[in-house]
Amino acid sequence: MSDHAGDNGRRLTRREILAASTALAVSGAVGIPSSAGAAKRHPKRGGTLRFGTRDDSVGLDTHRNFIYFVSHPLAGMTGGLLDFDGEMEPVPAVASEWDASQDMKTWTFKLRKGLEFHNGETIDAAAVKWNYERILDPKIGHSFTRSALSDVERITVDDKHTVRIHLKSPSAAFDTNVVYYPVNLLAPGAVDKVDTHPMGCGPFKFKSWKRNDTTELVRFENFWGTDAEGNSLPYLDALIGKPRKEDRVRLTALRTGEVDLIDNIAYADVDNFIKENGANYNTWEVPQVGTAFVAFNLKNGPFSHKDNKDAHMLRTAAAHAIDHEGIHQAVFHGQGQIAKGFYSKSSPWHGESIKSWPQYDPDKARSMLKKANGGDAKLLIIANDSFPYMQQTGELVHAMLQEAGFNVVFEIHPTPVIQDKYNKGAFDIDSSANSYRIDPDGWYGRSILSTAPETKRRHGYVNEKVDQLILAAKVERDKKKRRQMYADVDSLVNHDLPLIYTHFVPLRQAGTKKVHGYHPAFTGPFQYAGGGLRTAWMEG
Amino acid sequence: MLAYIIRRIAHLVPVLFVLTVSVFVFVEMLPGNIVDTLIGTEGNDDPEIRKALEQEYGLDQPVHIRYAKWLGRVVQGDFGISLVTRRPVTLELMTGIPATVYLAAVGIGVSMLIAVPLGTIAAVRRNTPVDYTAQVTSLAGISIPEFWFAILCVLLFSLYLGWLPSSGYVSPFVDLKASLTYLILPAVAIGFRQAAFTTRLTRSSMLDEMNKEYVDTARSLGFRERKVIFKYTLRNAMIPTLTISGLQLANLLGGTVVLETIFAWPGIGRAIYEAILQRDYPLVQAGVLVLGVIVVVTNLLVDLAYRLLNPRVALA
């Protein structure tokens, strides 16, 4: 049995999740080192877990600010209508049951009775309506959170515990959008203090926040979640977030005992850390927190059909110049997998029959580049400065394209500059990534569908067949059929090349041996039904 | 003296005015604005939403109107609300500035504690092994990048020896002892680097002073060498050292972003840096303004200290 999760990041089965919530026989799955010892280890109530994270929240209003579920401690405070289980299926949370109308334009949620926000206010249908309308207010709701509700036309309250959501167009994916992430519920009665002392309905209550220093959360005693024995969750008394932006600073803080858990080890350090310290620490692999890609600007410039009749040939030449294995080794140090579609094997939405992008063949790239009109154009690659893998992938792609004979420059910019370049079409290739869209419509319907604002703003891809598939998949109830439709979309994307998927973005977390009952899920480390920090407990 | 202080404080007004105008203009020239940040990557390109957000944040008004309104509020002591955190800017500043001032001041203190004795001994024992050691040490301090030295300190004192915490911050008003343990490594990292410059300066100033006639006179009058060095020579030699240390302190107030990141120190440098990236104009403006005031006041205090060191210095 391995000390470091030992399962190479495989998802937990439902049975294992149940077992995890009782924490009786979970040593293999959650990284507890000894199966013999695990039998004696019953979850202990109490203790404080200090979590070293890459990032800190920028503000406390979880509607106005994007709460990043990997690395914002404040995420422990949030709760929503539904939860995800370890297999990314929506399961009851504040709502105990839900249903879609035949035309999938109306979704009805029945709320559990007797639930409270952290300030003691009752969670009822009116509170849900207030929350959703607040998120939908463009002056308040963060674009990411608001976009999860973009299909909503209106919300009606049937009775105190029944809320009905009417959509503008049918959606089979709506229930996956109303999970705590990103559509979380705040106490309406505490909204006047939401920027200084927010009140949510998640497993932990807000206590204090010092920006870039500490976030203190304490257990919410009236949280609705219980383990299999009926004990209320979470087990921890408190959760203290300690942002440590630099990967190695965070790892050092773990090794010096200043934090108990960290949200990511630098890819370059993973092997060494496990080799040298594996006996003293647990590590967990979060199999995919996002998907990296390089996107072409199809709106204008040499990669656009509007400006260049050989645009597709030029994009194909660029695709042949990109060595995915090189990116896998140099950027991700062999962690995770190369991406041929948006979802990795760890996702239930992984498509099996996706036709690949053009294979690495620099000679072919050179020959196509010579033939293509616009092959001598000066190209600009951009990357956001937020995540090192985006920059490093951009740098490598830059070098690979130069090697193939492209005339290309590379620039790294902060988000507002990147946004400005998208709006103006002032780039040719963008090294980027997308994450945390649990339902595939969140990716395909927002970033590939030609009519989606994000598609129009960024790469401007248009393919009628792709659009038909995405729109049909959105209203398809049969999951198998939907998965195939999205696989077909990825095959078309890999042929048309509005973007080239490069790599699934993995995450390797580490914690001291004192941390038990914890296993991160695809949906992030903080919480999901039967796992994450909800079921974590501290020994000693 | 009082008239001089009042005059110097009065000089603050035009300096700060030019500073705020410059910052306002520079931030305005940066590509993208807070609305781009808020719209994010979800591509909500509805012009109505953009317009509503621009109105919400006052960006629909010309820059000079926005500046005038901002200045009007600042004169009344109101720095406004951070566009990102939605908390009062004063609150954001009160979190970051004390932490930075604390670190920078102690860092400069450490620098002086290293530099003054080392520079003095090096000058007094010129061309001896002590002098050579001091010169090599200061050369190393100048050559070694601050962040690298900081990482070495963390590896040695936190990871291997386990004597000090590797990162974090505790306010001295909450727990002074704990606060000092968190302060030592970043303060030493700053102090070592700054001391490298001031040691050389102290040494050369001391050598200059020691060649002056009043030192020979003191010696010929039979004063003990210790009195000649510490009472007469060092006091005069300290003036340039103090000037440079004052400038170093001013520089550190806004320029410890890298060390703040390495030591997870919640200082104002990092806060302003992030505010610039997020185009959080009120926080950038107020942060720069307050740091500007601190820098000018620090320089004033340094000038006043000249007078204490050497009463012959005229404050004009």
Side-chain angles (χ1 to χ4, degrees):
Chain A
M1 203 156 290
S2 164
D3 279 336
H4 44 93
D7 54 1
N8 292 323
R10 74 182 166 82
R11 284 175 293 108
L12 298 178
T13 64
R14 282 175 194 278
R15 182 169 296 176
E16 282 169 330
I17 289 161
L18 191 65
S21 64
T22 61
L24 288 172
V26 291
S27 60
V30 300
I32 296 173
S34 153
S35 58
K40 294 174 195 166
R41 286 174 181 156
H42 193 272
K44 243 178 24 188
R45 209 167 177 74
T48 297
L49 188 143
R50 298 159 304 165
F51 194 0
T53 57
R54 270 183 300 181
D55 244 323
D56 195 15
S57 311
V58 293
L60 297 178
D61 181 344
T62 53
H63 291 170
R64 195 183 291 275
N65 298 289
F66 171 56
I67 302 301
Y68 189 43
F69 261 67
V70 170
S71 54
H72 287 176
L74 205 59
M77 193 203 78
T78 61
L81 272 185
L82 300 179
D83 250 348
F84 280 119
D85 65 12
E87 294 181 313
M88 294 161 50
E89 289 293 336
V91 292
V94 166
S96 56
E97 48 188 284
W98 67 101
D99 195 17
S101 62
Q102 195 58 37
D103 64 358
M104 280 185 292
K105 281 186 75 177
T106 307
W107 286 75
T108 307
F109 294 86
K110 295 263 183 200
L111 311 189
R112 289 177 206 243
K113 290 174 184 165
L115 297 194
E116 291 176 355
F117 288 104
H118 295 158
N119 63 345
E121 198 174 336
T122 304
I123 305 178
D124 57 15
V128 174
K129 182 176 190 287
W130 177 88
N131 268 276
Y132 284 22
E133 286 174 350
R134 185 170 190 267
I135 291 168
L136 283 166
D137 182 345
K139 288 182 189 169
I140 298 175
H142 187 278
S143 62
F144 187 86
T145 311
R146 199 169 66 245
S147 71
L149 297 178
S150 58
D151 288 335
V152 174
E153 185 184 68
R154 66 198 163 89
I155 301 132
T156 53
V157 173
D158 282 13
D159 59 48
K160 192 170 168 63
H161 296 103
T162 310
V163 65
R164 204 177 287 268
I165 299 172
H166 308 267
L167 306 183
K168 294 171 200 160
S169 54
S171 172
F174 185 72
D175 53 350
T176 60
N177 285 335
V178 293
V179 178
Y180 55 83
Y181 173 79
V183 182
N184 60 85
L185 303 173
L186 291 168
V191 70
D192 54 332
K193 287 186 180 165
V194 72
D195 294 310
T196 51
H197 199 109
M199 298 283 186
C201 62
F204 295 94
K205 281 196 301 188
F206 178 83
K207 187 181 173 194
S208 71
W209 179 55
K210 289 177 194 155
R211 195 178 182 195
N212 290 330
D213 187 10
T214 50
T215 304
E216 284 187 277
L217 305 179
V218 293
R219 179 172 56 227
F220 176 40
E221 297 290 355
N222 296 334
F223 182 60
W224 50 267
T226 59
D227 65 15
E229 294 176 344
N231 302 309
S232 68
L233 293 173
Y235 299 125
L236 293 168
D237 279 344
L239 172 63
I240 299 181
K242 289 174 169 279
R244 299 285 185 271
K245 197 171 178 60
E246 285 304 310
D247 289 335
R248 284 179 181 142
V249 172
R250 205 164 48 250
L251 188 61
T252 304
L254 177 73
R255 292 180 64 192
T256 54
E258 289 156 44
V259 296
D260 306 299
L261 180 70
I262 58 170
D263 68 353
N264 189 33
I265 308 177
Y267 301 124
D269 292 337
V270 171
D271 287 344
N272 254 348
F273 178 72
I274 291 173
K275 196 172 148 194
E276 291 174 12
N277 301 285
N280 302 319
Y281 297 91
N282 293 318
T283 64
W284 299 271
E285 186 182 347
V286 185
Q288 180 190 352
V289 295
T291 307
F293 54 84
V294 286
F296 296 100
N297 177 6
L298 308 190
K299 295 188 294 184
N300 55 281
F303 291 123
S304 166
H305 274 293
K306 280 184 205 160
D307 296 338
N308 182 7
K309 64 180 175 56
D310 288 339
H312 184 255
M313 191 194 284
L314 208 58
R315 296 200 298 274
T316 310
H320 280 304
I322 293 174
D323 176 9
H324 285 73
E325 184 58 31
I327 293 172
H328 177 59
Q329 293 303 334
V331 178
F332 296 94
H333 293 263
Q335 312 285 315
Q337 293 108 38
I338 291 168
K340 291 194 173 175
F342 190 73
Y343 288 99
S344 72
K345 282 183 179 164
S346 57
S347 163
W349 293 106
H350 173 68
E352 289 292 349
S353 55
I354 297 170
K355 287 179 195 152
S356 173
W357 23 250
Q359 293 300 308
Y360 174 55
D361 186 342
D363 291 335
K364 201 167 179 182
R366 276 184 215 105
S367 134
M368 290 180 90
L369 184 63
K370 275 182 192 163
K371 286 180 201 160
N373 187 40
D376 55 350
K378 191 173 180 182
L379 304 173
L380 171 65
I381 304 179
I382 57 170
N384 195 302
D385 67 356
S386 305
F387 296 95
Y389 67 83
M390 289 185 196
Q391 300 158 29
Q392 290 161 8
T393 302
E395 281 169 21
L396 266 188
V397 168
H398 173 231
M400 290 165 182
L401 293 182
Q402 269 190 330
E403 184 73 21
F406 282 88
N407 178 9
V408 59
V409 291
F410 175 52
E411 294 176 2
I412 298 170
H413 294 291
T415 303
V417 178
I418 292 282
Q419 306 290 2
D420 194 52
K421 288 194 178 288
Y422 289 157
N423 292 338
K424 293 174 179 162
F427 71 101
D428 298 295
I429 299 173
D430 173 29
S431 172
S432 187
N434 197 289
S435 66
Y436 285 104
R437 289 302 188 184
I438 307 302
D439 187 276
D441 187 61
W443 164 247
Y444 299 99
R446 290 194 175 92
S447 297
I448 302 292
L449 184 72
S450 68
T451 53
E454 187 68 356
T455 308
K456 285 197 272 187
R457 192 170 73 109
R458 287 176 73 162
H459 49 73
Y461 175 48
V462 182
N463 180 321
E464 211 172 298
K465 196 173 173 195
V466 164
D467 285 358
Q468 284 168 2
L469 280 166
I470 293 171
L471 293 172
K474 191 176 181 183
V475 294
E476 175 57 61
R477 284 176 188 261
D478 185 320
K479 197 168 176 178
K480 239 179 163 179
K481 285 185 187 167
R482 277 190 86 197
R483 185 163 50 224
Q484 188 53 50
M485 288 171 169
Y486 291 124
D488 293 344
V489 170
D490 275 341
S491 294
L492 288 165
V493 165
N494 287 342
H495 172 267
D496 293 348
L497 298 172
L499 54 86
I500 303 170
Y501 296 113
T502 52
H503 209 277
F504 299 117
V505 181
L507 205 67
R508 181 73 76 151
Q509 303 190 321
T512 65
K513 295 281 186 188
K514 284 182 180 176
V515 179
H516 296 283
Y518 172 74
H519 195 289
F522 182 99
T523 48
F526 281 95
Q527 46 166 326
Y528 58 93
L533 290 175
R534 282 188 204 175
T535 55
W537 54 280
M538 300 292 289
E539 187 177 76
Chain B
M1 171 84 94
L2 185 65
Y4 172 76
I5 293 172
I6 291 169
R7 206 163 54 244
R8 283 292 298 266
I9 289 172
H11 287 168
L12 261 176
V13 178
V15 170
L16 294 179
F17 177 73
V18 171
L19 186 69
T20 58
V21 170
S22 311
V23 172
F24 219 94
V25 170
F26 287 139
V27 171
E28 191 66 25
M29 284 162 66
L30 292 173
N33 61 29
I34 184 70
V35 174
D36 292 308
T37 306
L38 294 172
I39 283 177
T41 55
E42 294 306 307
N44 200 335
D45 64 350
D46 185 341
E48 287 301 313
I49 290 177
R50 177 171 281 275
K51 201 174 160 188
L53 283 169
E54 282 175 348
Q55 273 176 357
E56 171 84 0
Y57 291 96
L59 297 174
D60 54 334
Q61 295 168 340
V63 62
H64 61 280
I65 301 288
R66 276 187 280 136
Y67 176 75
K69 283 186 176 175
W70 174 82
L71 196 61
R73 286 195 304 271
V74 167
V75 170
Q76 297 169 55
D78 175 14
F79 284 123
I81 300 286
S82 158
L83 301 184
V84 175
T85 68
R86 308 287 294 183
R87 302 195 302 178
V89 165
T90 313
L91 181 68
E92 303 294 342
L93 295 179
M94 287 316 292
T95 310
I97 285 180
T100 295
V101 170
Y102 179 41
L103 176 60
V106 176
I108 289 298
V110 169
S111 159
M112 298 282 274
L113 283 176
I114 298 170
V116 174
L118 204 60
T120 306
I121 294 168
V124 172
R125 301 196 177 168
R126 193 181 176 191
N127 295 332
T128 65
V130 177
D131 183 22
Y132 300 142
T133 306
Q135 289 200 57
V136 169
T137 308
S138 71
L139 192 65
I142 292 167
S143 312
I144 296 173
E146 202 169 49
F147 70 89
W148 192 69
F149 181 70
I151 290 168
L152 286 184
C153 286
V154 169
L155 288 177
L156 180 63
F157 295 107
S158 300
L159 200 56
Y160 297 118
L161 297 174
W163 292 350
L164 295 165
S166 67
S167 57
Y169 169 75
V170 173
S171 165
F173 301 109
V174 173
D175 182 343
L176 182 60
K177 195 178 162 194
S179 176
L180 291 174
T181 62
Y182 281 97
L183 176 68
I184 289 172
L185 284 185
V188 166
I190 286 177
F192 179 67
R193 169 88 170 164
Q194 304 301 330
F197 295 99
T198 35
T199 300
R200 293 170 77 88
L201 188 69
T202 306
R203 180 181 175 275
S204 66
S205 302
M206 278 294 289
L207 289 173
D208 282 350
E209 292 297 324
M210 284 165 68
N211 288 329
K212 288 186 177 167
E213 287 179 358
Y214 75 89
V215 176
D216 293 336
T217 308
R219 282 178 179 147
S220 64
L221 287 171
F223 291 156
R224 290 172 64 189
E225 185 64 12
R226 185 174 290 182
K227 192 173 180 182
V228 172
I229 297 296
F230 290 107
K231 186 165 181 188
Y232 300 113
T233 321
L234 184 59
R235 277 183 77 158
N236 288 323
M238 279 296 289
I239 288 178
T241 303
L242 204 64
T243 308
I244 290 298
S245 295
L247 292 173
Q248 285 175 333
L249 178 63
N251 192 37
L252 286 174
L253 291 173
T256 54
V257 181
V258 174
L259 285 185
E260 284 175 9
T261 304
I262 291 173
F263 291 105
W265 196 266
I268 193 66
R270 223 168 117 191
I272 292 178
Y273 171 70
E274 286 175 6
I276 290 169
L277 293 185
Q278 291 157 342
R279 309 294 190 260
D280 188 354
Y281 306 122
L283 185 53
V284 176
Q285 285 288 109
V288 171
L289 182 65
V290 173
L291 286 180
V293 171
I294 294 174
V295 168
V296 175
V297 170
T298 305
N299 283 334
L300 174 61
L301 293 176
V302 168
D303 288 353
L304 295 176
Y306 292 166
R307 175 93 177 185
L308 292 176
L309 285 171
N310 187 348
R312 288 179 307 161
V313 172
L315 296 176

